Amino acid sequence: MVVLANQVDQISLLRAPKPDANFSGIPVINLAEAGSVDAMIKACEEFGFFKVINHGVPINIMAKLEEEAVKFFSLPQVEKEKSGPPNPFGYGNKRIGPNGDVGWVEYLLFAVTSKPFSYTSMPFLQEPSASLFRWEEREDIISALNEYISAVRKLASEVLELMAEGLKIEPRNVFSKLVMDEKSDEIFRLNHYPPCPLFQGLNCSLTGFGEHTDPQIISVLRSNNTQGLEIALRDGSWVSVPSDQESFFINIGDSLQVMTNGRFNSVRHRVLANGSKSRVSMIYFGGPPQTERIAPLPQLMGEGEQSLYREFTWEEYKKAAYKSRLADYRLGQFEK
Ligand code: GA4
């Protein structure tokens, strides 16, 4: 009976056919090159998405966290469930968010905080919702998470500063200060898309994580060498992003789209699970403090230009997001 229920789950997530061949047009931004700022702005406008190379984050920090994530996801299901359910933080399996979305994915969601947390070894992470898992005894994954999050948070801030430079607005930290603030609302997510034996060898795939945009300012994603991520281009067509375990992928979130009055595009993306190979991804979501007013920056408004959005705070937007389905166009209700 359990087996049958599992198979029905898989069938309802079935998509045909398998993802198209890799798209070769993903913008690549070389952080070690001075001239990359203009290319970054173009990528934010055209795609809301780009890949970052020469980012300065040591590969071993990425590899270590991947290793620890694989160890966690290989635990027996009952062990993993001790860290769930993910409302909103903790272990989740197949159910995404509170409104009925499902995907062929299991994950861990963490709140990131700059306030010292009671686990001395865990300065950045808040406890997942259930503590039966005894996180305080999992030193290895906790230290890998902390090391990784510190590095990626710094990278997010650097990228946001380059964006301000490219847009020729002052101060340089106009975006980055929002995610670096001690009250900033940051989330970290480890995703595991397991293989799916039922569909191995068939020319089809499963919805791993359905299409959506990220509500925050910026997201920084790193995955292992398994493909699956797709982004929507401005014309609505979907392209497959070639995996690259040594690089990071940057997503523009809805809040940055609003702050640039629609100049930057928050990218719609999704993940297809391919049936035969595990995909592991780790994503940092940089959001502002709850009370922050999200509105177009006056420095970016041309003469007579009107805001496309009515005013709202990050807290309001987040509340609305958690009432929505994954694929909803969440900015719609805030448009003028
Ligand atoms: C999408 C981006 C992040 O993964 C996330 C997701 C969140 C969740 O998984 O709990 C949401 C989704 C995300 C947006 C709409 C709501 C909330 C699931 C969902 C249906 C952690 C986030 O911040 O928003």
Side-chain angles (χ1 to χ4, degrees), residues 10 13-19 103-106 192-197 199-200 202-210 226-230 270-280:
Q10 294 172 23
L13 294 170
L14 183 63
R15 304 182 58 91
K18 275 202 158 156
W104 191 248
V105 64
E106 57 175 343
H192 174 224
Y193 302 90
C196 177
F199 296 119
Q200 260 170 38
L202 300 178
N203 184 31
C204 57
S205 57
L206 290 168
T207 299
F209 209 111
T226 303
Q227 148 156 6
L229 178 63
E230 299 194 335
R270 66 185 181 194
V271 175
L272 301 186
N274 79 19
S276 46
K277 210 174 154 240
S278 239
R279 175 178 161 94
V280 176

Side-chain angles (χ1 to χ4, degrees), residues 88 96-99 101 107 109 187 189 209 212-216 285 321-322 324-326 330:
I96 299 170
N99 304 314
D101 289 287
Y107 56 88
L109 268 173
I187 296 180
R189 164 165 227 146
F209 209 111
H212 66 284
T213 59
D214 294 341
Q216 291 82 358
F285 301 94
Y322 276 87
S324 69
R325 295 292 299 258
L326 197 54
R330 278 174 278 282

Side-chain angles (χ1 to χ4, degrees), residues 4 13 52 140 150 154 167 171 176 210 218 242 258 269 271 289 305 324:
L4 185 63
L13 294 170
V52 168
D140 292 348
S150 313
K154 203 168 137 246
L167 289 169
S176 66
I218 190 170
V258 173
H269 55 289
V271 175
E305 189 179 335
S324 69

